């Protein structure tokens, strides 16, 4: 089965374009299945179901959604195989922009939209930087020049990804996206594969549902930030080295 | 995984669309040909198929769109690799969109755009676009203006100047430029200088007659293909004169003048 991971901020059009592209693949004879990882609730199952695509939604609830994703991936893969799918798409929520669900050796897709501000490609981090395909949606709402400058910013953050403009409302570009999905490598299992980017370390008192604020309630893996005196603007701190892939 | 790297986009001289069908399944009469340096106008009521044709070009139609047209570039169907390379780069569009959304100053934005094109002197290129936009816009704006604060006319003037001077896409699709709030004939002259294949949907008689060729749509397909005749050249000159007269009167009234 081919496996594709899809990540992107909330409401950027992930579900729309994946449902359309999977529909095209299915019509061309490649059965698909989608697993949606989300936090508290999700209505996306209905969107996939109405496109005729088998879908399973997994909600992380009280757990870190990225850790939840990693610990349920084998089961998700097995479920998708059980549907008879030849192509499985794992859609994850945008979450905190800190993480990336992408897996080495499999197809990794990032979706962002044209309305997010010129610095968005930089802010989004590893889910864009480590993607093989970047889909840009809502391009119909901005000018040609803005699309091109935005594309350039994406290129600066990710020098090798294929960048595609896709319209989730009209479906323009989804046929090409379906062709890209069909290029995903085929794998027998996800076991023993590695993530492209480490998940955040956790295990502090707040992981265990602590709600009170204050130093005396902070136990476990706690990190304190540096706050600068006065008006001087410090150089932006680089991201944690210990998270690098 | 690594996907195939896209080779540099080519610069076609001619596009053609053939094999089209209307909404009732009847075949389109002839292939539609578009050449560099020519303007083709698309005419017809809403829903008659103008937008379909524009998106057939943009999506490199391969018999896979509702019109079932196939796009040929310089006389032949693009290979898979060429389709891959051209995807998203073949076409620049000037739509009816009148606003910018990016949070940047005008000159910073133009410089960023020029840099993305690897133009040797991005600052100078940005300044050329800025000057051309100011010539088109009714009211001038300054280089430090925020994009989002420009008026509709200023935004369109900037989009048009930018497309004419900085875009490298070989095909330009224009949607109803007459609603832009800028001097439409001056805008068209600027765009024509950019050596692109120009396709323009319009309801404006002067713009329609300015085109070298007119495609008239009905029921989802092209019903008539008309080249501009001698008689129409004369009509165009007459109508353009009337527009100039209107513009003169408008300009005079705006500054408190009286009409003799």
């Amino acid at each position: 089965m081919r496996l594709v991971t899809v990540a992107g901020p909330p409401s950027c059009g992930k579900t729309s374009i994946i449902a359309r592209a999977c529909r095209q693949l299915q019509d061309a004879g490649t059965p698909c299945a989608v697993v949606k990882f989300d936090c508290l609730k999700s209505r996306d199952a209905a969107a996939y179901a109405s496109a005729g695509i088998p879908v399973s939604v997994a909600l992380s609830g009280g757990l870190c959604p990225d850790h939840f994703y990693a610990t349920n991936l084998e089961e998700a893969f097995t479920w998708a195989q059980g549907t008879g799918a030849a192509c499985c798409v794992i859609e994850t929520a945008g979450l905190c922009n800190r993480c990336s669900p992408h897996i080495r050796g499999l197809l990794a897709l990032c979706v962002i939209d044209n309305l997010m501000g010129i610095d968005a490609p930089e802010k989004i981090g590893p889910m864009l930087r480590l993607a093989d395909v970047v889909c840009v949606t809502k391009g119909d709402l901005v000018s040609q020049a803005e699309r091109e400058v935005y594309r350039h910013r994406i290129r600066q953050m990710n020098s090798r990804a294929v960048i595609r403009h896709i319209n989730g409302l009209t479906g323009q570009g989804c046929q090409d996206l379906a062709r890209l999905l069909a290029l995903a490598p085929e794998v027998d299992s996800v076991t023993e594969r590695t993530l492209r980017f480490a998940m955040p370390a956790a295990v502090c008192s707040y992981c265990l549902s602590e709600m009170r604020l204050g130093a005396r309630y902070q136990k476990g893996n706690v990190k304190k930030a540096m706050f600068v005196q006065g008006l001087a603007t410090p150089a932006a701190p680089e991201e944690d080295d210990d998270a690098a892939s | 995984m690594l996907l195939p790297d896209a080779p540099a986009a080519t610069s076609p001289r001619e596009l053609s669309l053939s094999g089209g069908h209307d909404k009732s399944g009847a075949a389109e009469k002839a292939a539609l040909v578009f050449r560099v340096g020519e303007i083709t106008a698309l005419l017809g009521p809403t829903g008659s198929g103008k937008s379909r044709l524009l998106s057939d070009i943009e999506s490199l139609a391969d018999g896979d769109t509702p019109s079932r047209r196939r796009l040929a570039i310089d006389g032949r169907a693009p290979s898979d690799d060429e389709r891959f390379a051209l995807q998203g780069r073949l076409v620049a569009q000037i739509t009816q969109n009148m606003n910018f959304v990016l949070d940047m100053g005008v000159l910073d934005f133009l410089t960023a755009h020029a840099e993305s094109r690897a133009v040797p002197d991005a600052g100078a290129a940005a300044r050329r676009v800025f000057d051309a936009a100011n010539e088109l816009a009714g009211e001038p704006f300054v280089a430090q203006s925020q994009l989002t604060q420009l008026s509709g006319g200023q935004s369109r003037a900037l989009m048009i100047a930018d497309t004419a001077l900085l875009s490298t896409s070989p095909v330009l699709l224009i949607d109803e430029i007459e609603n832009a709030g800028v001097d439409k004939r001056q805008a068209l002259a600027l765009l024509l200088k950019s050596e692109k294949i120009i396709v323009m949907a319009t309801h404006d008689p002067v713009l329609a007659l300015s085109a070298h060729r007119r495609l008239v749509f009905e029921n989802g397909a092209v019903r008539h293909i008309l080249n501009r005749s001698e008689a129409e050249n004369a009509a165009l000159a007459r109508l353009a004169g009337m527009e100039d007269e209107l513009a003169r009167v408008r300009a005079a009234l705006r500054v408190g003048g009286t009409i003799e």
Side-chain angles (χ1 to χ4, degrees), chain B residues 99-168:
Chain B
N99 290 301
F100 286 99
V101 300
L102 280 188
D103 42 354
M104 292 180 87
V106 169
L107 207 60
D108 286 345
F109 172 71
L110 293 174
T111 307
H113 194 199
E115 279 166 1
S116 79
R117 291 298 186 198
V119 175
D121 186 348
R127 181 55 72 168
R128 278 197 297 280
V129 176
F130 173 74
D131 291 341
N134 253 324
E135 263 177 54
L136 279 182
E139 340 111 75
F141 52 98
V142 297
Q144 290 76 30
S145 312
Q146 285 292 308
L147 285 177
T148 47
Q149 286 169 355
L150 300 181
S151 73
Q154 289 169 333
S155 296
R156 286 295 293 259
L158 190 59
M159 290 176 193
I160 291 165
D162 179 276
T163 304
L165 300 174
L166 274 183
S167 168
T168 55

Side-chain angles (χ1 to χ4, degrees), chain A residues 51-67:
Chain A
I53 301 153
V55 58
S56 195
V57 173
L59 298 177
S60 62
L63 294 181
C64 162
D66 296 300
H67 288 212

Side-chain angles (χ1 to χ4, degrees), chain A residues 103-108 114-119 132-133 139-153 155-156 159-160 162-165 172-173 175-176 179-180 183-185 196, chain B residues 1-5 54-56 58-59 62 64-65 83-85 87-89 91-95 97 99-104 109-110 112-117 147 159 162-163 166-169:
Chain A
I103 301 165
R104 288 188 189 154
L106 303 181
L107 185 65
N114 258 139
L115 304 179
M116 292 175 53
I118 193 67
D119 295 324
D132 304 310
V133 180
D140 55 327
L141 299 178
V142 302
S143 63
Q144 180 76 25
E146 286 170 295
R147 281 194 293 277
E148 290 175 4
V149 169
Y150 205 70
R151 184 188 180 106
H152 182 58
R153 291 291 168 100
R155 181 55 75 211
Q156 286 176 324
S159 59
R160 62 188 191 99
V162 167
I163 303 173
R164 285 289 185 265
H165 286 273
Q172 210 163 338
Q175 194 151 14
D176 186 52
R179 282 192 202 109
L180 289 170
L183 294 176
R196 296 188 189 189
Chain B
M1 68 167 288
L2 210 56
L3 291 163
D5 201 20
L54 294 181
S55 61
D56 279 348
E58 201 194 7
S59 64
D62 188 22
D64 51 3
T65 65
R83 296 177 68 84
F84 202 79
Q87 199 68 245
R89 297 183 193 181
V91 169
Q93 272 188 307
I94 295 181
T95 61
N97 171 14
N99 290 301
F100 286 99
V101 300
L102 280 188
D103 42 354
M104 292 180 87
F109 172 71
L110 293 174
H113 194 199
E115 279 166 1
S116 79
R117 291 298 186 198
L147 285 177
M159 290 176 193
D162 179 276
T163 304
L166 274 183
S167 168
T168 55
S169 300

